[in-house]
Amino acid sequence: SDFPNSSSMNPTKFLYRAPLLDCTQHVMGYRLAWQNNDKSSALSAGASLGQLLNLVAQCPEKAESGLFFLDAGTAALSAEVLQGLKPENMVLMFGQTDLVSAGRIPLAMSFFSQGFGLALCNADLAMLESNNGLLSLMTHLEVDSGHPDLTQIVNFARLAEPPLGVVIGGVSDWQTFDACAARGLMGFFGNICTAPRQLRQSA
């Protein structure tokens, strides 16, 4: 079974669910967001996160099927919105600007103390190397597959104490999957299951 019919909550929005695959193609969880009907490529801002969390809370059996990653950077979160969720199954995603420039580090500290996972998105290497206090709150880093400092960020995450999980974002082809698998990385792969794959010919 799937999540309840989310479009009934808002006819212009549909649930976007990208599987999180490890290097063996095992589904480790999902990234959830709203996709607008009028702009098929645009995902809603964090203002709808409360509605999305309510949808997840309606399906506790689904919430135990892996990690759920949810964009939380611009959302007005509260303890009430997060009630009924299992923190160990949720990873709230924040951009570097959302946390540092918008002064939301105390909010992240609160979520961390409740047991929620936190992912830092689009961070640059210089920021990672100079912000140990912020990184101590994080459980994951989300990095674009084309990031110029990808190798250094992966090495940095693995040497951190405790190590940070690295998740590759924004990819939808098997070539990128193979590159991630060779590094032992997880990634959000969107509609990868619908993408054709060139099978290697045996000699």
Side-chain angles (χ1 to χ4, degrees):
S1 60
D2 209 337
F3 286 99
N5 183 6
S6 57
S7 60
S8 63
M9 304 174 74
N10 188 325
T12 65
K13 291 191 299 187
F14 295 87
L15 183 65
Y16 169 87
R17 183 176 66 171
L20 174 67
L21 303 181
D22 68 8
C23 58
T24 64
Q25 300 185 38
H26 181 70
V27 177
M28 305 298 293
Y30 297 92
R31 181 175 189 169
L32 301 179
W34 293 118
Q35 180 167 300
N36 295 326
N37 191 32
D38 54 347
K39 295 181 180 179
S40 60
S41 62
L43 301 181
S44 68
S48 295
L49 180 61
Q51 191 180 44
L52 184 58
L53 290 171
N54 288 333
L55 182 64
V56 174
Q58 293 176 32
C59 304
E61 72 284 355
K62 293 293 182 183
E64 296 177 358
S65 61
L67 294 175
F68 280 140
F69 287 73
L70 303 110
D71 295 303
T74 58
L77 292 174
S78 65
E80 291 76 16
V81 170
L82 298 173
Q83 283 183 350
L85 299 174
K86 290 191 173 182
E88 64 270 21
N89 296 120
M90 299 291 157
V91 180
L92 304 175
M93 306 177 71
F94 293 91
Q96 176 178 323
T97 302
D98 296 322
L99 284 176
V100 180
S101 301
R104 308 193 76 203
I105 293 180
L107 182 65
M109 292 175 65
S110 174
F111 295 145
F112 182 80
S113 67
Q114 296 175 56
F116 287 92
L118 302 179
L120 185 63
C121 309
N122 305 317
D124 59 67
L125 186 60
M127 179 271 186
L128 295 176
E129 293 176 336
S130 61
N131 220 312
N132 289 334
L134 177 59
L135 287 180
S136 66
L137 302 174
M138 298 296 122
T139 57
H140 296 80
L141 297 176
E142 195 240 8
V143 188
D144 188 82
S145 60
H147 197 291
D149 296 324
L150 178 60
T151 298
Q152 293 94 319
I153 289 176
V154 170
N155 291 338
F156 179 90
R158 287 174 173 167
L159 293 174
E161 290 293 341
L164 298 166
V166 177
V167 178
I168 304 300
V171 293
S172 59
D173 59 80
W174 288 107
Q175 182 178 2
T176 305
F177 174 87
D178 290 338
C180 293
R183 294 171 176 260
L185 301 175
M186 301 183 292
F188 298 120
F189 288 95
N191 295 324
I192 191 172
C193 293
T194 64
R197 182 163 196 179
Q198 184 75 34
L199 298 178
R200 293 182 179 179
Q201 296 293 329
S202 57

